[in-house]
Amino acid sequence: MKMSLTVNGTRHEVDVRPTARLIDVLRDELGLTGTKEGCGEGECGACTVLVDGKAVASCLMLALQACGKEVTTVEGLAHGGELSLLQRQFIAHGAVQCGFCTPGMLMSAQALLMENPTPSADEIRTALAGNLCRCTGYSAIIAAIRAASGREADRADGSA
Amino acid sequence: MAVREARTMAVAVPTTRDDLVVALGRATTDTRIIAGGTDLVRSLRVPGDEPDLLISLGGLRGLSYVRLDGATVRVGATTTFTELQHDPVLREHGLCLALAASTIGSAQIRNVGTVGGNIANASPCADSAPALVALGADVTTVDGAGHTATRPLSEVVLGPYHTSLACDEAIVEFSFPALGPTQRTAFTKIGSRTAVTVARLTCAIVARFDAASGILEEVRVGLGAVGAVAFRVPEVEEALRGQRADAEAAALLAEGCVRAIGRSIPDRPTLPYKQHAAVGLAYDTWNALGLCPPCAPAAHDDRPEEVA
Ligand code: FES
Ligand code: FES
């Protein structure tokens, strides 16, 4: 099935099975391997991307469901070779250890900050409830998001 | 493998109701209808189980709404849980459904999963089901011949992952009598953790209450995840009608829920746990209604016997 997908502001034409998941197309067809697959069942959040600005589990969504919508992956956070404020705060706070959960954490946090630029700690926890981390214990992640909040959320789509 | 590869799968993404009818007209028993896909996508990946036709409801923006139509609340089938959770009309006139939506999965799942998909999938643990049951919801469908039909939810969900929906029939709307200022409603859930959890037990209550006399005029109780389908508990509803809204009513509610669960899953190994948990959940739901000062079960009376 031929379909066109807009990812990080760029339109792509792909030819995949209708049951191909969004994560499969992002990783295998478009080479955007920043998005990770942990559980494949909607439990871990490693595969989180934004579709029309909302956090979704790309392992539970077919690529065809994202046709005609704006998809943003972790690769879309940095622009001009410079990491976003949120990404820089993750580094500054030691919120990254093995890094497997990080793309999903960043995208859930990005969705939150776009909707609510000054979230409380509880609102951050609710937004991250679907993201599991085996390494950090979460406190550093929450601190990083707090540090990135209250300032203008970086544009997620990579466009200026 | 070759056979599977050779099988062609058609895809329909209708954008209008007429297109939907045309697509449904081509449906067979191997056809799958996908709304949010948060339940369906996993099963679509089972090799050899691919549908002949996949109908995606994602293009039908007109099926995503909550509106007040006279004294009736209408909820479009593809309204997402995030939309339900925050919808002002639903929060005012059907709060227990908004609360149920807010407990589902994670933000990632609520942003995509739909109420129509939750019901059509017919999981016994579907969080929206007890709320819709307590609200007395009807389900409106359309089929491949263009016929529209409306029937009570209890006639749609028949058992675990089993509905009365024909293969060419799609849910388009839920409707229920709008709750007014004399009605209170609450929803509570027990799972193994607070997010991304499959419900172990859910309870929704709708109560009409006369503030002057403190009397419960009508109570509807929906229980979920304790049987094949979410169900009402008429025995409790009758016991509570005409009762004063006080600690005694809370105790009647808890006892009735425990008995109903005993009847629903008599042979399940989880029965003692669920009955024990139901007492706490019934009190939590009762207290959330805010009809009287918070009350708690009498100490010790619901504890399982200690094993020596
Ligand atoms: S890989 Fe999608 S939620 Fe775990
Ligand atoms: S940093 Fe290792 S899983 Fe989160």
Side-chain angles (χ1 to χ4, degrees):
Chain A
M1 178 186 183
K2 286 191 171 42
M3 59 179 91
S4 91
L5 276 181
T6 303
V7 183
N8 301 330
T10 306
R11 217 176 134 106
H12 301 269
E13 308 291 330
V14 294
D15 190 0
V16 296
R17 293 185 62 75
T19 51
R21 301 171 307 167
L22 181 56
I23 191 170
D24 301 328
V25 172
L26 292 172
R27 290 180 56 88
D28 303 342
E29 302 292 321
L30 305 182
L32 294 169
T33 54
T35 303
K36 305 297 183 221
E37 179 162 9
C39 63
E41 300 195 334
E43 302 268 348
C44 75
C47 66
T48 304
V49 300
L50 309 190
V51 172
D52 282 352
K54 297 225 177 281
V56 310
S58 62
C59 72
L60 291 186
M61 183 183 254
L62 300 183
L64 70 87
Q65 293 178 271
C67 286
K69 299 185 169 163
E70 294 280 338
V71 180
T72 309
T73 68
V74 70
E75 288 89 346
L77 290 183
H79 28 98
E82 195 177 316
L83 296 181
S84 71
L85 172 63
L86 180 63
Q87 289 173 306
R88 295 197 305 273
Q89 293 296 358
F90 264 61
I91 295 170
H93 285 79
V96 182
Q97 288 186 31
C98 80
F100 196 84
C101 71
T102 310
M105 290 286 179
L106 286 167
M107 299 319 286
S108 285
Q110 180 70 32
L112 171 67
L113 293 176
M114 290 192 321
E115 200 174 293
N116 176 2
T118 53
S120 66
D122 266 357
E123 287 168 331
I124 294 173
R125 282 192 195 94
T126 302
L128 294 188
N131 292 79
L132 300 182
C133 176
R134 296 293 300 271
C135 307
T136 66
Y138 302 100
S139 300
I141 293 171
I142 291 165
I145 297 167
R146 292 208 79 152
S149 68
R151 314 179 198 191
E152 200 175 275
D154 292 13
R155 284 193 61 118
D157 59 11
S159 60
Chain B
M1 179 79 172
V3 174
R4 191 154 51 77
E5 296 267 299
R7 177 168 177 171
T8 53
M9 186 190 314
V11 175
V13 188
T15 54
T16 65
R17 190 190 164 94
D18 287 351
D19 286 352
L20 172 62
V21 169
V22 171
L24 291 170
R26 292 161 54 205
T28 73
T29 50
D30 286 338
T31 296
R32 304 307 297 269
I33 300 171
I34 182 166
T38 51
D39 286 312
L40 186 64
V41 166
R42 273 170 292 179
S43 63
L44 285 176
R45 301 183 70 214
V46 177
D49 233 16
E50 285 112 336
D52 57 350
L53 169 64
L54 187 63
I55 302 175
S56 168
L57 303 184
L60 287 158
R61 289 312 299 162
L63 282 190
S64 173
Y65 56 85
V66 178
R67 61 172 168 256
L68 194 58
D69 175 9
T72 301
V73 176
R74 299 191 182 280
V75 178
T78 66
T79 311
T80 66
F81 299 122
T82 299
E83 289 162 344
L84 293 179
Q85 180 182 354
H86 299 296
D87 188 89
V89 169
L90 192 62
R91 294 193 76 88
E92 185 171 350
H93 298 289
L95 180 65
C96 60
L97 181 56
L99 297 174
S102 73
T103 70
I104 289 172
S106 57
Q108 291 94 317
I109 289 170
R110 292 191 295 275
N111 283 337
V112 178
T114 70
V115 60
N118 203 220
I119 294 304
N121 185 53
S123 161
C125 308
D127 291 303
S128 66
L132 286 166
V133 162
L135 289 165
D138 284 334
V139 180
T140 299
T141 62
V142 66
D143 70 13
H147 294 138
T148 296
T150 298
R151 54 198 193 269
L153 181 65
S154 58
E155 291 176 21
V156 173
V157 181
L158 304 181
Y161 307 99
H162 175 49
T163 69
S164 63
L165 296 167
C167 65
D168 70 336
E169 188 178 18
I171 298 176
V172 291
E173 187 179 87
F174 298 88
S175 53
F176 55 85
L179 303 186
T182 61
Q183 281 160 305
R184 301 277 182 90
T185 175
F187 175 89
T188 48
K189 167 174 171 174
I190 294 177
S192 51
R193 57 187 179 121
T194 52
V196 206
T197 189
V198 173
R200 298 269 168 85
L201 184 58
T202 47
C203 179
I205 300 184
V206 173
R208 197 167 70 235
F209 170 70
D210 180 53
S213 63
I215 296 293
L216 292 163
E217 295 176 333
E218 188 205 10
V219 180
R220 298 192 302 247
V221 180
L223 290 178
V226 279
V229 298
F231 57 89
R232 290 266 295 269
V233 193
E235 163 199 329
V236 177
E237 297 178 358
E238 269 148 46
L240 289 175
R241 187 178 306 127
Q243 271 285 326
R244 180 164 296 283
D246 56 15
E248 202 179 314
L252 280 176
L253 173 70
E255 285 160 24
C257 288
V258 167
R259 276 198 302 274
I261 292 169
R263 283 196 302 272
S264 179
I265 50 168
D267 305 320
R268 252 353 133 67
T270 54
L271 176 65
Y273 160 71
K274 293 217 177 185
Q275 286 187 312
H276 184 58
V279 174
L281 193 74
Y283 272 89
D284 284 353
T285 319
W286 172 264
N287 288 333
L289 291 171
L291 297 175
C292 67
C295 39
H300 303 298
D301 69 354
D302 63 305
R303 295 242 177 110
E305 277 174 31
E306 295 250 338
V307 179

